């Protein structure tokens, strides 16, 4: 996927396993570099969840040939047509609109897939930057869910 400033590269399970193992040699082969701060703290959690469950690990968020973050789903589409996303950027890449740009692109793509009627995201209630990312990407706050702010887009 291409946006105005970003390219979202699909990750394979093999790439996800390499990232989890700390092997970044594949970056040069792919013509990419790791930006300062990537992988970030939540990268391993999200990728481990995807690899363990056997669903696609998501996308690498790249800007100017460097991986600045990652975005993916928390599992397959449920019986109601809902899918949840997670996302994160390296600290030096935050606050520049990249998060909203990536989340909007992934959400548009997901909503164009058969059977997907709603994209959801949870964030900590006090994580205002993450909440702004979702709002700028067209999500609506729907309330608290298990102590976290729940957003959705249809």
């Amino acid at each position: 996927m291409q946006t105005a400033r970003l390219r979202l590269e699909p990750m394979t399970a093999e790439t996800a396993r390499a990232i989890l193992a700390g092997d970044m040699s594949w970056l040069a082969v792919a013509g990419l570099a790791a930006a300062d701060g990537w992988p970030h703290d939540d990268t391993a959690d999200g990728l481990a969840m995807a690899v363990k469950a056997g669903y696609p690990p998501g996308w690498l968020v790249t800007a100017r040939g460097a991986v600045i973050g990652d975005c993916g789903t928390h599992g397959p589409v449920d019986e109601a047509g809902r899918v949840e996303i997670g996302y994160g950027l390296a600290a030096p890449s935050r606050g520049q609109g990249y998060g909203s740009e990536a989340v909007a692109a992934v959400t548009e793509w997901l909503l164009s897939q058969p059977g997907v009627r709603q994209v959801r995201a949870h964030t900590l209630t006090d994580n205002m930057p993450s909440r702004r990312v979702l709002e700028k990407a067209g999500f609506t706050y729907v309330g608290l869910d298990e102590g976290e702010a729940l957003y959705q887009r249809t």
Side-chain angles (χ1 to χ4, degrees):
M1 281 181 271
Q2 184 73 48
T3 71
R5 301 178 298 159
L6 304 173
R7 178 138 184 90
L8 281 72
E9 300 282 348
M11 269 189 279
T12 64
E14 180 182 10
T15 300
R17 283 190 290 274
I19 295 167
L20 289 169
D23 176 7
M24 297 299 170
S25 62
W26 58 272
L27 281 168
V29 174
L32 297 169
D36 287 342
W38 189 87
H40 54 82
D41 292 340
D42 295 330
T43 299
D45 293 340
L47 293 181
M49 183 172 46
V51 168
K52 182 179 178 183
Y55 57 86
W59 298 266
L60 296 170
V61 179
T62 68
R64 298 172 308 283
V67 180
I68 63 169
D70 41 84
C71 185
T73 64
H74 286 253
V77 179
D78 69 14
E79 63 282 346
R82 296 178 304 222
V83 65
E84 183 163 350
I85 61 167
Y87 50 90
L89 294 176
S93 298
R94 296 177 189 158
Q96 300 172 52
Y98 293 138
S100 297
E101 196 171 324
V103 167
V106 167
T107 300
E108 290 294 329
W109 184 84
L110 288 167
L111 288 170
S112 75
Q113 300 307 298
V116 177
R117 292 194 295 276
Q118 182 182 92
V119 178
R120 305 176 107 193
H122 285 85
T123 188
L124 298 174
T125 57
D126 64 348
N127 188 344
M128 295 312 293
S130 185
R131 294 180 76 162
R132 280 192 298 276
V133 161
L134 293 167
E135 290 163 1
K136 288 178 183 176
F139 282 71
T140 302
Y141 173 70
V142 294
L144 292 177
D145 182 42
E146 298 182 16
E148 293 186 330
L150 173 62
Y151 285 80
Q152 67 184 27
R153 185 168 158 199
T154 54

